[in-house]
Amino acid sequence: MLFRNEAASKDLVNIALPKGRLEFPSRQFLAEVGLAREDADWPDRALVQHDPILGVRYLLVRPSDVVTYVSEGAADVGIVGKDVIMEADLSVYEVLDLGFGECRLGVAAPSRVSADYPCPEDFYRSRGDMLRVATKYPNIAERHFSHLGLPVRAIPLRGSVELAPMVGLADVIVDLVSTGKTLETNEMVLLEEVARITARLIVNPVSMKVRPRITNLLGDIRSQKKSEGGGARA
Amino acid sequence: MPDMHEMTRAETRRDVEARMRAVFRRWGYRETDAPVLMDYETLRTAGSTAEDVAYKLVDEGGRILVLRPEMTAPIVSMAARRRVEWQRPLRVCYFSRLFRRSESDREFFQAGAELLGGAGAVADAEMVGLCCEVLVASGIERYQVNLGHTGVLTDISSSLGLEHNRAEQLRTSLAQRDIVAVEGILSRLGPVDAQRAEVLLPYRGALAPDELDSLASAGVGDRVMDEIAALFDWVLQVAPAEDIGFDPSLVRQLDYYTGPVFEVYCPDTGDLLGGGGRYDGLMGRFGVEEPATGFAVDLHAVQSAAAMNGAAEPLEPLCLVLVPSESSHQGADLARKLRANGFRVILETAASPTEEAGIARARCRGADYLYLEDGQPREVSPVAGEVE
């Protein structure tokens, strides 16, 4: 609480950045819009970095935690994949499609069992009363299949989701696919696409209302992106 | 004492509630309550979006019940059934424990008020004014009120000629705060229309009363413009202007609102403290056509904001009465007298207590005064350097 108040009084902007594959393009984006220095030197393993001249503090967190930091107000702004936003179902403003980190969220199954069916739905229904879905995204999976009217049991896993159908733990997986290499190696095929994923800029709902600096910054970024025409898409 | 805060959370909440209750009473509101287990049908009839997040269970007769996720639907349903006995305009307030499916706060506390049968800007402004006064009484020093109106989006959608599906998509995207989707919808409009619709985006900050013209040029009709102006006029009577603005992008999460709406934020903690608005259609779903408006505040958010200002009510002095067990009778007598005079009193016995041992024990108990058998008060100073 003190932390947040101190930040607000100095009009510091707290930005939550995702560790991992989105980290570098996120920092590049921040440099482009003037929220980070081009020549900034990022020490390894530092979880918090402070740029007193720009008035920005960077919090380096797990991608799946970015939405939590922002919705709880520990960070005003965050960068995170659309997949994490869809799964979290928390209250944040999603203001900009940053265009990078592009991949697909899809349903996949072992090719040897699914190849005989003309369409994915026939395959799903052939799996008995309850389709078992191994995934890092149980909420998205349940929502997707309930739209199709299919009863599913989501099996939440933290990683190596492809393993689950091989050992009979699940019938299908719902996971991110970027090149398709991982699926191929594990003799799986993409049955359908659930969503196209890119990185998004998200904002705490109250910061958006009570912090003029943040609203102005976002307005400026929006104009900049619009006049560039490319890069980020609305 | 690190877990003291946790232990006394109910106490501080009751304290905040008591201050709020006094304000509600002064504004002519009576306190009501509703069963924690409510009929699922009531929520369905109200068309409440809280329906999706309610905990559902089944009773012995096979009826579906929910743990109440909000108070407006049950109050409105009760008031509709008793429209003769409960005279209108009806002013009621409540302090309630609510439940919603959520990973973080599945149980939370709300205080709120409903004004049933109250129409027009006066009633709308009463909600804003009452809400602000309730917050100030709770110990909140700084707050920001954003006013909104559901007609802004409706009018702009129709002046843009959006077909029903598109307009609904726009409304949902705004309610979900998905600005990327909103921009997607705007990008399919012509450049002039897209430009006009930009007032719906959250980047401009709230408008002052003399900046409302931009709404009219964005396509907001005369009726809504008049309502907004009248609301502003009244609200400025009850709250300081620098804390109030009109926010065209304000969309409340529950979807039964039909006119002016508002939200109150705490800039210090960055929390949404509360909000509300007009919901004229809701009574009609329960068979009574009448205007209605209301608001609710989140007691936990209010407590944290008030605690930052150190606004907790000081407790009465605590006395330790320490007597030998053979004199427990006199001790009890003394304790009774002190309590009657408004002190908090702990009565304990010890084998022939000395003054020194008594003071040490009183300090342990956090007492301000020590009384021994002689009935004389001894002040207990906290030991220097000790952290409470």
Side-chain angles (χ1 to χ4, degrees):
Chain A
M1 193 62 72
L2 245 175
F3 199 62
R4 276 163 69 182
N5 185 40
E6 173 206 9
S9 66
K10 290 180 187 153
D11 215 14
L12 195 68
V13 175
N14 285 295
I15 303 179
L17 293 174
K19 284 183 192 171
R21 69 184 182 100
L22 293 181
E23 184 184 336
F24 180 68
S26 298
R27 293 193 192 272
Q28 265 184 323
F29 164 75
L30 291 178
E32 265 169 50
V33 298
L35 281 173
R37 268 181 273 187
E38 301 271 3
D39 58 351
D41 149 45
W42 308 101
D44 271 353
R45 297 178 176 278
L47 298 179
V48 185
Q49 294 162 48
H50 190 178
D51 189 324
I53 295 167
L54 290 174
V56 179
R57 182 157 54 190
Y58 313 93
L59 316 174
L60 198 57
V61 304
R62 275 174 63 111
S64 56
D65 293 337
V66 170
V67 187
T68 311
Y69 273 82
V70 174
S71 82
E72 294 288 325
D76 302 293
V77 176
I79 294 176
V80 69
K82 175 73 175 169
D83 52 319
V84 180
I85 303 175
M86 287 167 69
E87 177 65 16
D89 203 19
L90 291 168
S91 179
V92 290
Y93 270 108
E94 182 184 328
V95 293
L96 197 64
D97 182 343
L98 298 171
F100 57 78
E102 195 165 358
C103 58
R104 287 173 294 172
L105 188 67
V107 188
S111 34
R112 73 191 150 73
V113 290
S114 60
D116 301 340
Y117 296 88
C119 74
E121 256 198 86
D122 292 335
F123 170 67
Y124 301 151
R125 293 192 194 282
S126 72
R127 298 294 101 186
D129 300 344
M130 192 78 101
L131 187 71
R132 295 166 308 154
V133 188
T135 182
K136 283 179 254 176
Y137 305 95
N139 296 334
I140 298 176
E142 274 175 23
R143 232 177 300 146
H144 175 71
F145 288 105
S146 78
H147 281 312
L148 297 174
L150 277 169
V152 297
R153 189 159 80 85
I155 298 162
L157 297 177
R158 297 285 170 96
S160 305
V161 180
E162 300 81 11
L163 182 62
M166 286 188 218
V167 297
L169 175 62
D171 302 307
V172 296
I173 64 170
V174 168
D175 206 12
L176 290 183
V177 183
S178 48
T179 59
K181 273 258 160 57
T182 315
L183 288 184
E184 211 177 290
T185 316
N186 293 295
E187 291 172 355
M188 295 180 79
V189 287
L190 184 68
L191 298 177
E192 55 170 331
E193 186 179 298
V194 177
R196 288 198 163 264
I197 306 297
T198 46
R200 306 293 163 105
L201 186 66
I202 60 173
V203 184
N204 174 267
V206 179
S207 296
M208 189 73 122
K209 302 292 184 189
V210 302
R211 300 277 311 274
R213 182 178 174 203
I214 289 179
T215 333
N216 293 339
L217 267 172
L218 294 167
D220 292 348
I221 293 174
R222 179 174 181 271
S223 321
Q224 189 182 337
K225 290 289 152 190
K226 269 200 133 173
S227 62
E228 282 169 17
R233 292 154 312 176
Chain B
M1 282 184 259
D3 55 357
M4 200 58 182
H5 174 70
E6 185 78 17
M7 191 194 85
T8 58
R9 188 145 61 189
E11 199 172 277
T12 32
R13 190 182 66 245
R14 297 282 182 220
D15 178 31
V16 166
E17 285 180 3
R19 299 162 186 224
M20 290 183 169
R21 189 172 281 116
V23 175
F24 282 131
R25 193 183 285 249
R26 284 200 298 272
W27 284 58
Y29 283 70
R30 303 295 300 271
E31 189 169 337
T32 189
D33 201 357
V36 172
L37 278 173
M38 64 182 275
D39 233 338
Y40 179 46
E41 276 312 310
T42 308
L43 216 53
R44 287 269 305 259
T45 309
S48 166
T49 39
E51 184 193 323
D52 303 335
V53 291
Y55 286 104
K56 301 175 183 73
L57 46 143
V58 182
D59 78 357
E60 63 280 11
R63 243 178 3 154
I64 302 178
L65 303 175
V66 295
L67 287 174
R68 67 180 178 208
E70 56 143 309
M71 280 298 282
T72 304
I75 288 178
V76 161
S77 125
M78 279 190 294
R81 268 179 279 127
R82 295 174 176 74
R83 66 177 174 280
V84 183
E85 308 94 297
W86 294 5
Q87 282 203 350
R88 306 301 156 74
L90 180 67
R91 288 179 165 83
V92 289
C93 65
Y94 59 83
F95 297 88
S96 296
R97 195 186 284 254
L98 304 176
F99 305 87
R100 286 185 194 170
R101 279 211 314 257
S102 150
E103 276 164 32
S104 46
D105 296 315
R106 58 171 68 100
E107 185 176 345
F108 61 104
F109 293 87
Q110 243 184 21
E114 315 289 347
L115 170 46
L116 307 181
V122 192
D124 297 321
E126 178 167 325
M127 289 303 105
V128 181
L130 178 54
C131 183
C132 294
E133 198 168 315
V134 153
L135 293 175
V136 170
S138 317
I140 287 168
E141 285 162 11
R142 236 154 60 88
Y143 59 85
Q144 176 187 322
V145 181
N146 281 24
L147 304 173
H149 195 297
T150 56
V152 169
L153 179 57
T154 324
D155 283 9
I156 291 178
S157 294
S158 66
S159 87
L160 294 174
L162 291 184
E163 51 182 293
H164 179 74
N165 282 348
R166 222 353 92 72
E168 194 47 38
Q169 213 185 332
L170 181 60
R171 203 195 69 80
T172 317
S173 304
L174 280 167
Q176 291 174 345
R177 304 196 169 99
D178 186 348
I179 304 305
V180 174
V182 172
E183 299 252 31
I185 296 168
L186 300 193
S187 70
R188 273 170 238 143
L189 303 169
V192 179
D193 282 350
Q195 181 80 44
R196 282 200 302 154
E198 279 186 10
V199 291
L200 296 172
L201 299 177
Y203 303 127
R204 276 199 53 185
L207 305 171
D210 56 357
E211 296 172 323
L212 292 174
D213 287 347
S214 62
L215 293 176
S217 43
V220 178
D222 290 345
R223 189 184 62 83
V224 173
M225 287 302 292
D226 289 348
E227 280 188 36
I228 294 170
L231 174 67
F232 235 130
D233 264 5
W234 275 100
V235 167
L236 288 177
Q237 316 282 325
V238 293
E242 62 267 30
D243 301 330
I244 294 183
F246 188 85
D247 176 4
S249 72
L250 179 62
V251 178
R252 295 278 293 156
Q253 296 293 302
L254 297 177
D255 59 2
Y256 45 55
Y257 292 104
T258 55
V261 291
F262 70 98
E263 283 186 346
V264 186
Y265 316 98
C266 177
D268 298 325
T269 59
D271 282 332
L272 173 65
L273 296 174
R278 176 158 292 283
Y279 53 90
D280 286 351
L282 191 54
M283 294 297 294
R285 299 194 196 189
F286 291 92
V288 185
E289 292 294 342
E290 67 177 340
T293 176
F295 76 90
V297 297
D298 177 341
L299 282 173
H300 185 70
V302 171
Q303 255 176 275
S304 337
M308 279 187 60
N309 301 330
E313 197 80 66
L315 292 168
E316 303 79 9
L318 181 66
C319 309
L320 173 65
V321 174
L322 189 62
V323 291
S325 46
E326 59 271 21
S327 322
S328 64
H329 198 73
Q330 285 126 282
D333 215 38
L334 177 57
R336 187 163 41 241
K337 280 185 195 137
L338 287 168
R339 285 179 187 130
N341 284 323
F343 291 97
R344 296 182 297 137
V345 183
I346 312 172
L347 173 61
E348 291 185 9
T349 57
S352 55
T354 62
E355 178 162 343
E356 199 183 9
I359 292 277
R361 190 188 287 211
R363 197 170 281 137
C364 268
R365 302 287 181 271
D368 304 290
Y369 297 99
L370 169 71
Y371 285 84
L372 295 173
E373 220 182 342
D374 61 7
Q376 294 306 310
R378 291 165 178 81
E379 204 164 330
V380 181
S381 58
V383 172
E386 191 190 327
V387 182
E388 261 277 292

